[in-house]
């Protein structure tokens, strides 16, 4: 019985260390700009804002803040930066002057498509390392970890 507890403890420590290393890698990546199409270098928060706006239609500024899980002030700062880079545009709501609509420009749509391609390449690379079953398990684990961290 003790052997099982020691093994389980070692596995938990290894998992904890690996999770810690992964978090550090994600923090490093979060600070590193990446180029998506002709958009030039974009931070992860900028490209994920573009992704949250989406290539189809428009989104309310307040809805965008909700999608990203950030304040309206933070989303305003992001949109201002993306607008300066000509990736998004603001427009007034047709019936409510208090509301601002956000949409992607053609350059923003190109950046979004390039970002999607990065995700496709990631999964193509993952498929060379893992079976489809392992990928399903990976995705379930990531979803559970996200749910746990949101608490």
């Amino acid at each position: 019985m003790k052997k099982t507890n020691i093994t389980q403890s070692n596995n938990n420590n290894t998992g904890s260390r690996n999770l810690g290393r992964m978090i550090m890698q994600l923090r490093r990546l979060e600070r590193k700009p990446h180029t998506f199409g002709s958009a030039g270098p974009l931070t992860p928060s900028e490209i994920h804002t573009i992704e949250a706006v989406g290539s189809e239609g428009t989104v309310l500024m307040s809805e965008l803040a909700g999608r990203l899980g950030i304040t309206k002030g933070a989303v305003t700062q992001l949109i201002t930066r993306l607008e300066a880079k000509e990736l998004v545009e603001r427009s007034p709501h047709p019936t409510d002057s208090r509301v601002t609509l956000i949409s992607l420009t053609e350059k923003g749509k190109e950046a979004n498509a390039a970002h999607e391609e990065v995700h496709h390449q990631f999964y193509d690379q993952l498929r060379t390392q893992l079976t489809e079953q392992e990928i399903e398990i990976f995705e379930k684990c990531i979803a559970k970890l996200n749910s746990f961290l949101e608490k």
Side-chain angles (χ1 to χ4, degrees), residues 124-141:
D124 287 346
Q125 193 172 15
L126 202 58
R127 283 185 188 90
T128 67
Q129 306 288 319
L130 304 173
T131 66
E132 286 299 318
Q133 184 180 14
E134 289 171 325
I135 291 172
E136 280 183 42
I137 293 167
F138 168 75
E139 289 175 343
K140 285 180 184 177
C141 290

Side-chain angles (χ1 to χ4, degrees), residues 35-54:
T35 299
F36 298 95
S38 64
L42 299 172
T43 64
S45 59
E46 290 172 332
I47 194 62
H48 290 130
T49 300
I50 288 170
E51 179 183 42
V53 171

Side-chain angles (χ1 to χ4, degrees), residues 51-66:
E51 179 183 42
V53 171
S55 295
E56 307 301 320
T58 59
V59 63
L60 300 173
M61 189 81 101
S62 57
E63 183 181 344
L64 184 57

